[in-house]
Amino acid sequence: MEQKQIYEQAGVAMTSRSFAEYEKMFMLQTEQLQGRRVLDVAGGASSFTTEARKLGILSEAVDPLYEKSSEEIDKHGRQEIELVAAKMEKLQKVYDWTFYGSLQNHTAGRVKSLERFVEDFSSYDGEARYHAACLPVLPFEQESFDLVLCSHFLFLYEEQFDYNFHLAAVRELIRVAKSGGEVRIYPLLSFRTEEYSRLPDLINELTNAGYLVEKREASLPFLPNSHQYLSIIKMASA
């Protein structure tokens, strides 16, 4: 039997993804988000926030990375991009390249997103939308955001963070979402490209707490089995 190829990851990686990728991961509709407050949790050096704001979306991001200077983030980000490219070079057959086209395009996109992020992060008003903090405690009032997004952190690092952390983290995402608002988490997989083993338990707990929780179809077919995100709707108070 052929041994399954697994992406090896030590520690939490810095990400630098684009608005277009977020659209696919979370099935976002720009016109529905304009004028709405959106939070990107564990956003890393992604350009989602700066691109979203140019489209009229009131986006902010939170990540412990933001304690660093723009120069430090830029240096670390470029090193991370090179490291990821080297890992993916060995696993190219594992991925679906429909969206990116090639590893070279994927890498170029990461660099472009990083550059856009650094420019915005280092701007005179960057501190107003980039917040240094980490789950499971976020520095926002409850019911602050219409939509809360978390990409490539929860579930993915199943071997590093236990179930209690995941439950506390998701509850915190829900806390900062407005009544009637939504939390979306993508992907539902660990680095083994298998669904998070405790996802049924998590869904059950959240459903019992009165939230509307369901798996929904995503449209970024890159990682094997990465065709869904988790939607958690915080039902408006009666």
Side-chain angles (χ1 to χ4, degrees), residues 5-14 76 78-95 97 103 106-107 156-157 160 191 222-223:
Q5 293 180 298
I6 299 172
Y7 185 92
E8 298 292 340
Q9 177 63 42
V12 177
M14 178 196 294
H76 180 54
R78 291 178 186 278
Q79 292 172 343
E80 187 80 28
I81 289 168
E82 290 182 9
L83 180 62
V84 168
K87 291 180 182 179
M88 293 177 65
E89 178 73 36
K90 302 174 183 177
L91 298 171
Q92 287 195 64
K93 294 182 179 179
V94 172
Y95 303 112
W97 296 96
L103 175 58
H106 181 280
T107 301
L156 198 62
Y157 293 88
Q160 297 185 44
F191 278 112
F222 182 59
L223 292 170

Side-chain angles (χ1 to χ4, degrees), residues 13-182:
M14 178 196 294
T15 183
S16 51
R17 291 181 170 84
S18 67
F19 183 88
E21 289 170 277
Y22 276 66
E23 278 188 307
K24 295 286 188 179
M25 293 187 291
F26 295 112
M27 302 299 288
L28 302 179
Q29 300 295 322
T30 299
E31 64 276 8
Q32 295 178 7
L33 294 176
Q34 289 172 333
R36 303 278 183 167
R37 198 175 179 200
V38 177
L39 179 64
D40 181 15
V41 180
S46 292
S47 59
F48 171 78
T49 287
T50 183
E51 293 185 75
R53 294 184 78 88
K54 290 176 181 177
L55 295 170
I57 301 168
L58 306 179
S59 182
E60 299 177 46
V62 60
D63 195 295
L65 176 72
Y66 305 153
E67 291 181 342
K68 298 180 180 293
S69 68
S70 57
E71 293 79 13
E72 289 174 320
I73 293 174
D74 184 64
K75 180 180 179 181
H76 180 54
R78 291 178 186 278
Q79 292 172 343
E80 187 80 28
I81 289 168
E82 290 182 9
L83 180 62
V84 168
K87 291 180 182 179
M88 293 177 65
E89 178 73 36
K90 302 174 183 177
L91 298 171
Q92 287 195 64
K93 294 182 179 179
V94 172
Y95 303 112
D96 182 334
W97 296 96
T98 302
F99 177 77
Y100 298 104
S102 67
L103 175 58
Q104 291 72 27
N105 289 345
H106 181 280
T107 301
R110 290 287 183 269
V111 172
K112 191 171 184 178
S113 293
L114 174 64
E115 291 173 346
R116 286 174 173 170
F117 165 84
V118 169
E119 181 181 9
D120 193 46
F121 181 77
S122 59
S123 64
Y124 73 95
D125 59 347
E127 289 185 0
R129 53 188 169 273
Y130 294 104
H131 311 274
C134 60
L135 289 171
V137 179
L138 300 178
F140 307 107
E141 297 293 330
Q142 62 182 19
E143 304 204 351
S144 292
F145 297 93
D146 297 284
L147 176 64
V148 179
L149 306 174
C150 187
S151 153
H152 293 83
F153 177 60
L154 294 176
F155 309 147
L156 198 62
Y157 293 88
E158 176 175 7
E159 294 185 4
Q160 297 185 44
F161 299 100
D162 64 13
Y163 178 71
N164 289 333
F165 173 86
H166 276 81
L167 182 59
V170 173
R171 283 174 170 165
E172 182 70 349
L173 300 182
I174 295 169
R175 183 188 70 81
V176 302
K178 294 179 180 179
S179 293
E182 185 179 2

